[in-house]
Coordinates of all heavy atoms in Angstrom, one line a residue:
V1474 N -4.1 5.7 -3.2 CA -5.3 5.0 -3.7 C -5.4 3.6 -3.0 O -6.5 3.2 -2.7 CB -5.3 4.9 -5.3 CG1 -6.6 4.1 -5.8 CG2 -5.3 6.4 -5.9
S1475 N -4.3 3.0 -3.0 CA -4.2 1.6 -2.5 C -3.0 1.4 -1.7 O -1.9 2.0 -2.1 CB -4.3 0.7 -3.7 OG -4.2 -0.7 -3.1
N1476 N -3.3 0.7 -0.6 CA -2.1 0.5 0.4 C -1.8 -0.8 0.6 O -1.6 -1.4 1.8 CB -2.4 1.2 1.8 CG -2.6 2.7 1.7 OD1 -1.9 3.3 1.0 ND2 -3.7 3.3 2.2
S1477 N -1.9 -1.6 -0.5 CA -1.7 -3.0 -0.4 C -0.3 -3.3 0.0 O 0.7 -2.8 -0.4 CB -1.9 -3.8 -1.7 OG -1.6 -5.0 -1.7
F1478 N -0.2 -4.3 1.1 CA 1.1 -4.8 1.6 C 1.6 -5.9 0.8 O 2.7 -6.4 1.0 CB 1.1 -5.0 3.0 CG 0.0 -5.9 3.5 CD1 0.2 -7.4 3.2 CD2 -1.1 -5.6 4.0 CE1 -0.7 -8.2 3.6 CE2 -2.1 -6.4 4.5 CZ -2.0 -7.8 4.2
L1479 N 0.8 -6.4 -0.2 CA 1.3 -7.7 -1.0 C 1.8 -7.2 -2.3 O 1.6 -6.1 -2.7 CB 0.1 -8.6 -1.4 CG -0.8 -9.1 -0.1 CD1 -2.0 -9.9 -0.6 CD2 0.1 -9.9 0.7
L1480 N 2.8 -8.0 -2.8 CA 3.4 -7.7 -4.0 C 2.7 -8.5 -5.2 O 1.9 -9.4 -5.0 CB 4.9 -8.4 -4.0 CG 5.9 -7.8 -2.9 CD1 7.2 -8.5 -2.9 CD2 5.9 -6.3 -3.0
D1481 N 2.9 -8.0 -6.5 CA 2.3 -8.5 -7.5 C 3.2 -9.1 -8.5 O 4.3 -8.5 -8.7 CB 1.5 -7.3 -8.3 CG 0.6 -7.8 -9.3 OD1 0.3 -9.0 -9.4 OD2 0.2 -7.0 -10.3
D1482 N 2.9 -10.2 -9.0 CA 3.8 -10.9 -9.9 C 3.6 -10.3 -11.4 O 2.5 -10.2 -11.8 CB 3.5 -12.4 -9.9 CG 4.4 -13.2 -10.7 OD1 5.5 -12.8 -10.9 OD2 4.0 -14.2 -11.3
D1483 N 4.8 -10.1 -11.8 CA 4.8 -9.4 -13.2 C 5.0 -10.6 -14.1 O 6.1 -11.2 -14.3 CB 6.0 -8.3 -13.2 CG 6.1 -7.7 -14.7 OD1 5.1 -7.8 -15.4 OD2 7.0 -7.0 -14.9
S1484 N 4.0 -10.8 -15.0 CA 4.1 -11.8 -16.1 C 4.2 -11.2 -17.4 O 3.9 -11.9 -18.4 CB 2.9 -12.8 -16.0 OG 2.7 -13.4 -14.7
S1485 N 4.5 -10.0 -17.6 CA 4.6 -9.5 -18.9 C 5.9 -9.8 -19.5 O 6.8 -10.6 -19.0 CB 4.6 -7.8 -18.7 OG 5.8 -7.5 -18.0
I1486 N 6.1 -9.5 -20.8 CA 7.2 -9.8 -21.6 C 8.2 -8.7 -21.3 O 8.0 -7.5 -21.7 CB 7.1 -9.9 -23.1 CG1 6.1 -11.0 -23.3 CG2 8.3 -10.2 -23.9 CD1 6.4 -12.4 -22.8
P1487 N 9.4 -8.9 -20.6 CA 10.2 -7.9 -20.2 C 11.3 -7.4 -21.1 O 12.3 -6.9 -20.8 CB 10.9 -8.5 -19.0 CG 11.1 -9.9 -19.2 CD 9.9 -10.2 -20.2
F1488 N 11.1 -7.5 -22.5 CA 12.0 -7.1 -23.4 C 11.4 -6.7 -24.8 O 10.2 -7.2 -24.9 CB 13.2 -8.1 -23.6 CG 12.5 -9.5 -24.2 CD1 12.3 -9.7 -25.5 CD2 12.2 -10.5 -23.2 CE1 11.7 -10.9 -25.8 CE2 11.7 -11.6 -23.6 CZ 11.5 -11.9 -25.0
S1489 N 12.1 -6.0 -25.5 CA 11.6 -5.7 -26.9 C 12.6 -6.3 -27.9 O 13.7 -6.8 -27.5 CB 11.5 -4.2 -27.1 OG 12.7 -3.7 -27.0
V1490 N 12.2 -6.4 -29.1 CA 13.1 -6.9 -30.2 C 14.4 -6.1 -30.3 O 15.4 -6.7 -30.6 CB 12.3 -7.1 -31.5 CG1 13.2 -7.8 -32.4 CG2 11.1 -7.9 -31.3
D1491 N 14.2 -4.9 -30.1 CA 15.4 -3.9 -30.0 C 16.4 -4.5 -29.0 O 17.6 -4.5 -29.3 CB 15.0 -2.5 -29.8 CG 14.3 -1.9 -31.0 OD1 14.4 -2.6 -32.1 OD2 13.8 -0.8 -30.9
D1492 N 16.0 -4.7 -27.9 CA 16.8 -5.2 -26.8 C 17.6 -6.6 -27.2 O 18.7 -6.8 -26.9 CB 16.1 -5.6 -25.4 CG 15.3 -4.3 -25.0 OD1 15.9 -3.2 -25.3 OD2 14.3 -4.3 -24.3
I1493 N 16.8 -7.4 -27.9 CA 17.5 -8.6 -28.4 C 18.5 -8.4 -29.4 O 19.7 -8.9 -29.4 CB 16.4 -9.6 -28.9 CG1 15.3 -10.0 -27.9 CG2 17.1 -10.8 -29.5 CD1 14.2 -10.9 -28.4
S1494 N 18.2 -7.5 -30.3 CA 19.1 -7.2 -31.3 C 20.4 -6.5 -30.8 O 21.5 -6.7 -31.3 CB 18.6 -6.4 -32.4 OG 18.1 -5.1 -31.8
K1495 N 20.3 -5.6 -29.9 CA 21.4 -4.9 -29.3 C 22.3 -5.9 -28.4 O 23.5 -5.6 -28.4 CB 21.0 -3.8 -28.5 CG 20.3 -2.7 -29.4 CD 19.8 -1.5 -28.5 CE 19.1 -0.4 -29.4 NZ 18.6 0.6 -28.5
S1496 N 21.7 -6.8 -27.9 CA 22.4 -7.7 -26.9 C 23.1 -9.0 -27.6 O 24.0 -9.5 -27.1 CB 21.4 -8.3 -25.8 OG 20.4 -9.0 -26.5
M1497 N 22.5 -9.3 -28.9 CA 23.2 -10.4 -29.5 C 24.2 -10.0 -30.5 O 24.3 -9.0 -31.1 CB 22.0 -11.1 -30.4 CG 21.0 -11.8 -29.5 SD 19.6 -12.6 -30.5 CE 20.7 -13.9 -31.3
E1498 N 25.3 -10.8 -30.4 CA 26.4 -10.6 -31.4 C 26.1 -10.9 -32.8 O 25.1 -11.5 -33.2 CB 27.7 -11.5 -30.9 CG 28.1 -11.2 -29.5 CD 29.2 -12.1 -29.2 OE1 29.6 -13.0 -29.9 OE2 29.8 -12.0 -28.0
Q1499 N 26.8 -10.3 -33.7 CA 26.8 -10.5 -35.1 C 27.0 -12.0 -35.5 O 27.8 -12.6 -34.9 CB 27.7 -9.6 -35.9 CG 27.5 -9.6 -37.5 CD 28.4 -8.7 -38.1 OE1 28.7 -7.7 -37.5 NE2 28.7 -9.0 -39.3

Side-chain angles (χ1 to χ4, degrees):
V1474 178
S1475 176
N1476 296 318
S1477 177
F1478 53 77
L1479 299 180
L1480 300 180
D1481 189 15
D1482 183 27
D1483 183 15
S1484 297
S1485 62
I1486 301 300
F1488 58 85
S1489 64
V1490 183
D1491 287 342
D1492 298 331
I1493 299 178
S1494 63
K1495 293 176 182 178
S1496 63
M1497 292 179 64
E1498 298 179 354
Q1499 184 174 336

